Amino acid sequence: MPGDYPPCAGQAVSGGHNDSVTTGSAARGGSLLWRAGTRAGKLLASSALVGPLLGVSAHAGPAAASKAGLSVSTVEVMQLAMFVGVMGAALVSAIFLIRERARTSAQNVELRARLADVNAALQRSEALLNLRDQRVVVWASDNKKPELVGTLPVESGAPEDRAAFLAFGRWLMPRSAAALENAVAGLRDKAKPFDLVIESQAGAPLEVHGRKSAAHVLVRFVSLSETQRSEARLRIENQRLAADYDTMLGLLNALNMPAWLRTANGRLKWVNRAYAKAVEAENAQAAVRDAKEFLGGQAREAIAAQHKLHPVFEQALSTVIEGDRRMFAVTDFAGADGSAGIACDTSAIETIRSEYERTVRSHADTLDQLNTAVAIFDTDEKLRFFNQAFQKLWGLDSGFLHSAPDNALLLDRLRSEGKIAEQPEWRRWKESLLGAYRAVESQEHWWHLPDGKTIRVVANPQPKGGVTWVFENLTEKMDLESRYQTAVRVQGETLDNLAEGVAVFGPDGRLRLSNPAFAALWGLDADAAKPNVHVSTIRDLCDRGAADSPWGGFVAAITGFDDERRDRHGQTELNNGTVLRYAMIPLPNGQVMMTFVDVTDSVNVERALKDKNEALEKSDQLKNEFVQHVSYELRSPLTNIIGFTELLSLPSTGPLNQKQREYVEHVSSSSSVLLTIVNDILDLATVDAGIMELDISEVHVDRTIAAAAELVSDRLEEHAIRLKIDAATAPKTFHGDEIRIRQILYNLLSNAANYAPEASTITLACRSFAEGVEFSVHDDGPGMPPDLLDSVFRRFEPRTNGGRRRGAGLGLSIVKSFVELHGGNVRIETGKDMGTTVICAFPDAPSGIRAAAE
């Protein structure tokens, strides 16, 4: 049975690290060994009893036992062998467990001794750190909170609470807190140690030391003794004074006024940048080193004489700066150990004063050009200034106005002349009006004059006394406002009756106005599109009616702050199938106008036309593919026909009679014509596919013309047509595809030969022009009627028009395609009894390959 066997040696070893585990394992192992021993004992007993009786050894095997007359099974022999092996393994495991337990016990004793030493050292460290004169902040790692050990005296002002203590700004002086935080940051980030003397808000100085070890960052706060406190206070005070000194020197150095410090004997010891610039020194140190003086000798003597009587010298002195003499307000203070001075440039005061006078005159001239009447009265209520608009408004003579009348007299005169309306209580009204001289804020009045004018009167008290009266004629403005309101009402009625939806949003994203068509197109209620509704609310309502709503972009454009506000156009489709075309137009006043038009019918028509166009394009593509396929399929048998026709015409094939020879010639010529047509179709199909490439090289004009003429010579001789070549002004060469140009000329000459009368002349001309070279072919045929010029370049449209033979209608199409591939153009000059001239213009150097038009 498996449960009767003892545990393996590995299990005994693994339990040796703990006394209880080892004891339990040993007990279980002993139980198993006992059961196995009992079983083996029974086997050994039977073997021991039977063996001597029969005279056979127990290990003799089954054969010997059978010979001896005793039956021993094979299973029992195997059990015995396993028992012996297990007993050996158990014995080895027991010995190993005993040795391992002894070693573990010795290690435990040693570890207990070390732990006791560590605990004693820890207690000593904590006792030292828990003294009430220091506190240590320990960071174990960047991701853990710091630990605090020790305490500081209560009089130091340091809080006991951990969070409050780490908030240095709450219990330290601001300067000390800032310095400490910077130092701690440098210690943690860059391992930069520091030693500081800081001051708490309670006035107690503390020393702070920061260090970083391999695994910890420590900052120690140490309370100082009375002597150390005094020293620390002096150090802090020295730091404060040094900082204040540096601040003052920094301020003086930043001033745009020369400043200096002198020793007791009058020598310069410090100057600022403005001083160095004024004396044209390289820098402040150079000015001190070279003893460059800002003031002249007499000025310095005057300052020294004044200091003997009074420590402060204040006077305006002149000196030369950059070649110009300027005035400076110099202030110099003399102390026990030296003096300090500063100079303020006052040269610009007179310039400013004169500029002020010019500004006043300019201001008066400006006011004199205004259409608004302005009158300025001084503190004595005397008229000191008036502009032309004031004199024109009231129609007063200039002599009276220049006599500086007071305000009350001016009002009485306007009343007596009937230029202002009569008041029920004139005296009280006038006193109320003149109360502006005792007022602090501006006053506003409205006067309705007897002549029908409406005047807005503003009384603006001046800071130094007096009143500025502004008389604004608002008659035209009120008339314009009335007309504007009328226009607004007309506009509202117009918008309400438009079929186009209109909505205007303000800069704050709120709806300013909309018409009923807007709400109807988007399916909104009347209350949903009322003024002051935010665009986000309208977006939420409109998003329900459209799967792909554009209102997200509308909201971003209306409420955004883009520097460039541009028009936006587009269209969207609602869930009910309605298609709306929208336009977003920014208005000058920061508002945005949106318009929506129902274009459902137009879109449906457009879609139908697009589907039809796609069908036509697909049909045309199928046509091109069919033509190309058929052309390729025709080329192979045509080649065979031409080849065998040529073989039949050879003498080596056999003699032919006259009729057979004529038939062979007809077959050969017809096959050649058919092959030419197939090749033309293939060329056009290649052009249509956009895969034709030109072999651009230098084309010799004479050679190309001669080759084309040679190809068409048989047809010309057949009809006694002469070919005239005019190439006197032609260039020798130009850049193009020589094979395609020869094909172009051949097609032109073939076309001309087809329409030229018998025994007539065809003219092939070539000339150069500014952009390139031009070929033309002229025949004296019947010409083309105007209605054929639009379709002359169409494919597969042969036209007899007096021609001798009917072709496939591809010649001029190939010409146009190849010319346009070169970047040129083709034109036709024709007319009744004028013949026909086809002109092909080529650029001198084609810039690229273009797809030819059909």
Side-chain angles (χ1 to χ4, degrees):
M1 296 294 292
D4 296 336
Y5 298 134
C8 64
Q11 291 174 332
V13 173
S14 63
H17 294 288
N18 188 285
D19 293 340
S20 61
V21 175
T22 304
T23 304
S25 300
R28 291 191 296 271
S31 177
L32 293 172
L33 289 174
W34 181 80
R35 289 197 297 269
T38 303
R39 176 71 174 171
K42 293 178 181 180
L43 293 173
L44 288 174
S46 62
S47 300
L49 293 174
V50 176
L53 293 175
L54 299 176
V56 181
S57 171
H59 299 283
S66 62
K67 291 178 181 181
L70 181 64
S71 176
V72 181
S73 66
T74 306
V75 175
E76 290 179 346
V77 173
M78 293 176 63
Q79 290 179 348
L80 179 61
M82 291 178 64
F83 169 74
V84 174
V86 169
M87 287 296 294
L91 181 62
V92 173
S93 300
I95 296 172
F96 179 77
L97 287 174
I98 293 172
R99 295 183 63 185
E100 186 68 20
R101 183 174 182 182
R103 187 176 64 82
T104 303
S105 178
Q107 289 180 350
N108 288 338
V109 172
E110 183 180 357
L111 290 175
R112 289 192 187 96
R114 291 183 181 179
L115 181 61
D117 294 341
V118 171
N119 288 332
L122 178 62
Q123 292 175 0
R124 289 195 300 272
S125 300
E126 290 181 349
L128 292 175
L129 292 176
N130 286 325
L131 296 176
R132 296 186 60 82
D133 59 351
Q134 64 178 350
R135 198 168 195 181
V136 181
V137 183
V138 181
W139 284 272
S141 64
D142 293 339
N143 297 325
K144 294 183 179 180
K145 295 182 178 180
E147 298 181 1
L148 273 66
V149 182
T151 58
L152 291 172
V154 178
E155 58 271 13
S156 66
E160 288 292 334
D161 182 65
R162 176 180 175 279
F165 182 82
L166 293 176
F168 302 133
R170 296 183 179 180
W171 61 279
L172 292 177
M173 297 299 288
R175 183 180 299 174
S176 299
L180 180 58
E181 289 178 355
N182 293 332
V184 170
L187 176 64
R188 297 187 65 185
D189 297 339
K190 302 179 181 179
K192 184 178 180 181
F194 65 88
D195 296 290
L196 294 176
V197 177
I198 61 175
E199 183 180 8
S200 67
Q201 294 183 0
L206 298 172
E207 283 189 355
V208 185
H209 307 281
R211 299 292 184 272
K212 185 173 184 180
S213 64
H216 297 84
V217 176
L218 298 96
V219 177
R220 185 164 67 104
F221 296 79
V222 181
S223 179
L224 305 178
S225 62
E226 188 61 33
T227 303
Q228 291 174 330
R229 290 179 183 176
S230 299
E231 181 182 355
R233 288 193 185 95
L234 292 176
R235 191 181 305 172
I236 292 174
E237 185 65 24
N238 181 50
Q239 293 176 356
R240 184 182 298 113
L241 292 176
D244 293 342
Y245 178 77
D246 293 339
T247 302
M248 292 301 297
L249 289 185
L251 174 62
L252 292 175
N253 198 40
L255 290 176
N256 197 21
M257 296 182 290
W260 60 87
L261 296 177
R262 297 181 183 273
T263 61
N265 57 3
R267 291 183 58 84
L268 290 173
K269 67 176 182 180
W270 180 88
V271 297
N272 65 352
R273 290 183 298 177
Y275 186 103
K277 182 179 179 181
V279 299
E280 299 181 355
E282 182 179 356
N283 49 43
Q285 292 76 12
V288 174
R289 183 184 65 247
D290 300 339
K292 290 190 174 183
E293 293 292 345
F294 172 71
L295 298 173
Q298 294 181 353
R300 295 198 303 275
E301 291 175 0
I303 294 174
Q306 178 67 24
H307 283 330
K308 293 179 181 180
L309 304 176
H310 195 272
V312 179
F313 173 85
E314 290 181 329
Q315 190 175 337
L317 301 175
S318 65
T319 186
V320 177
I321 303 296
E322 296 179 352
D324 297 331
R325 180 164 293 279
R326 301 182 186 178
M327 293 298 296
F328 286 85
V330 179
T331 301
D332 196 278
F333 174 79
D337 296 330
S339 62
I342 190 170
C344 180
D345 190 356
T346 60
S347 303
I349 293 179
E350 291 299 328
T351 304
I352 294 174
R353 182 180 292 110
S354 60
E355 184 67 24
Y356 170 74
E357 293 176 354
R358 288 194 298 270
T359 302
V360 171
R361 289 194 298 270
S362 175
H363 180 66
D365 294 339
T366 302
L367 292 178
D368 204 36
Q369 300 298 323
L370 291 179
N371 292 326
T372 302
V374 178
I376 301 176
F377 292 80
D378 60 11
T379 55
D380 298 329
E381 302 183 11
K382 298 289 186 180
L383 181 62
R384 295 304 177 190
F385 173 81
F386 64 92
N387 62 354
Q388 294 182 2
F390 179 82
Q391 182 179 3
K392 181 179 179 181
L393 174 65
W394 301 115
L396 300 174
D397 58 280
S398 58
F400 171 74
L401 295 176
H402 284 98
S403 64
D406 59 13
N407 206 339
L409 179 60
L410 179 62
L411 292 174
D412 291 335
R413 178 152 181 182
L414 293 176
R415 178 194 179 191
S416 62
E417 294 183 0
K419 295 180 179 179
I420 58 176
E422 187 67 36
Q423 302 296 327
E425 297 183 7
W426 172 258
R427 187 181 300 275
R428 181 176 298 178
W429 179 84
K430 185 171 66 172
E431 289 178 356
S432 175
L433 191 65
L434 297 179
Y437 289 92
R438 298 178 297 274
V440 178
E441 297 181 354
S442 300
Q443 297 181 1
E444 182 176 336
H445 307 276
W446 291 82
W447 292 358
H448 299 283
L449 304 185
D451 58 359
K453 295 179 182 179
T454 300
I455 304 297
R456 176 175 174 264
V457 181
V458 179
N460 186 22
Q462 299 178 9
K464 295 183 178 181
V467 175
T468 300
W469 294 90
V470 179
F471 303 88
E472 185 178 2
N473 189 353
L474 299 180
T475 306
E476 294 182 1
K477 180 180 179 182
M478 295 180 68
D479 182 52
L480 289 174
E481 287 182 354
S482 176
R483 286 187 286 175
Y484 171 75
Q485 294 297 332
T486 303
V488 168
R489 288 193 295 271
V490 172
Q491 180 188 29
E493 293 295 332
T494 304
L495 290 177
D496 290 344
N497 291 279
L498 283 178
E500 181 179 5
V502 179
V504 178
F505 294 88
D508 57 353
R510 297 190 178 277
L511 184 65
R512 290 290 184 265
L513 62 90
S514 64
N515 63 348
F518 170 73
L521 290 175
W522 286 99
L524 303 178
D525 297 335
D527 295 337
K530 61 184 179 181
N532 291 326
V533 175
H534 199 268
V535 65
S536 59
T537 304
I538 297 178
R539 175 198 60 191
D540 296 337
L541 297 175
C542 294
D543 285 347
R544 303 172 186 173
D548 188 12
S549 175
W551 278 93
F554 295 165
V555 173
I558 292 172
T559 61
F561 299 94
D562 296 338
D563 295 336
E564 184 179 359
R565 304 172 72 231
R566 296 177 295 180
D567 296 352
R568 295 179 59 185
H569 301 271
Q571 70 181 31
T572 183
E573 185 171 356
L574 305 185
N575 294 334
N576 58 7
T578 302
V579 179
L580 299 180
R581 181 170 297 163
Y582 61 83
M584 179 178 292
I585 304 171
L587 301 179
N589 55 358
Q591 298 181 357
V592 176
M593 181 179 71
M594 301 181 62
T595 61
F596 300 91
V597 182
D598 187 351
V599 293
T600 306
D601 297 337
S602 301
V603 170
N604 291 335
V605 172
E606 182 181 354
R607 289 174 180 172
L609 292 176
K610 187 178 294 183
D611 294 340
K612 184 176 181 181
N613 184 57
E614 290 178 355
L616 291 175
E617 290 179 353
K618 187 174 181 180
S619 175
D620 187 65
Q621 182 180 359
L622 290 174
K623 180 200 73 174
N624 291 335
E625 291 177 354
F626 172 77
V627 170
Q628 186 174 6
H629 176 73
V630 171
S631 300
Y632 274 112
E633 293 297 329
L634 288 174
R635 175 179 283 182
S636 179
L638 279 175
T639 304
N640 293 333
I641 292 173
I642 294 172
F644 284 113
T645 303
E646 292 178 353
L647 288 175
L648 288 174
S649 63
L650 293 176
S652 59
T653 307
L656 297 176
N657 56 35
Q658 184 63 28
K659 184 63 68 176
Q660 290 175 338
R661 190 175 294 106
E662 291 179 0
Y663 290 160
V664 169
E665 290 177 358
H666 283 300
V667 170
S668 179
S669 60
S670 299
S671 300
S672 299
V673 172
L674 184 58
L675 182 61
T676 301
I677 294 174
V678 171
N679 289 333
D680 290 344
I681 293 174
L682 287 177
D683 288 340
L684 289 175
T686 306
V687 172
D688 292 339
I691 59 176
M692 175 170 281
E693 296 182 358
L694 298 179
D695 185 10
I696 303 299
S697 62
E698 194 172 14
V699 179
H700 295 271
V701 175
D702 295 340
R703 186 173 62 191
T704 304
I705 292 175
E710 179 67 22
L711 293 174
V712 78
S713 60
D714 293 340
R715 293 186 60 184
L716 296 179
E717 291 177 359
E718 181 181 355
H719 303 287
I721 298 174
R722 293 183 295 106
L723 176 63
K724 178 183 178 182
I725 298 176
D726 183 7
T729 60
K732 292 184 178 180
T733 60
F734 71 99
H735 290 83
D737 189 332
E738 185 173 356
I739 296 176
R740 300 304 176 186
I741 293 174
R742 186 187 308 160
Q743 189 174 354
I744 291 170
L745 296 180
Y746 168 75
N747 286 337
L748 291 178
L749 292 173
S750 297
N751 186 71
N754 189 37
Y755 292 98
E758 296 283 344
S760 63
T761 301
I762 296 176
T763 303
L764 171 60
C766 179
R767 68 179 185 87
S768 62
F769 63 103
E771 290 78 11
V773 62
E774 185 177 86
F775 291 92
S776 64
V777 175
H778 173 77
D779 64 79
D780 295 328
M784 298 183 186
D787 57 339
L788 291 180
L789 289 177
D790 296 334
S791 61
V792 70
F793 292 110
R794 294 179 185 174
R795 302 174 188 177
F796 305 107
E797 290 191 11
R799 292 159 295 276
T800 56
N801 195 28
R804 297 182 179 86
R805 64 178 66 179
R806 182 180 178 90
L810 297 177
L812 291 180
S813 298
I814 292 177
V815 168
K816 186 174 185 297
S817 298
F818 287 169
V819 171
E820 290 182 349
L821 277 176
H822 282 80
N825 59 81
V826 181
R827 67 183 187 273
I828 297 177
E829 296 177 356
T830 184
K832 188 176 181 180
D833 300 329
M834 292 176 55
T836 301
T837 303
V838 182
I839 303 171
C840 301
F842 296 89
D844 183 61
S847 58
I849 299 175
R850 301 187 305 131
E854 292 188 1

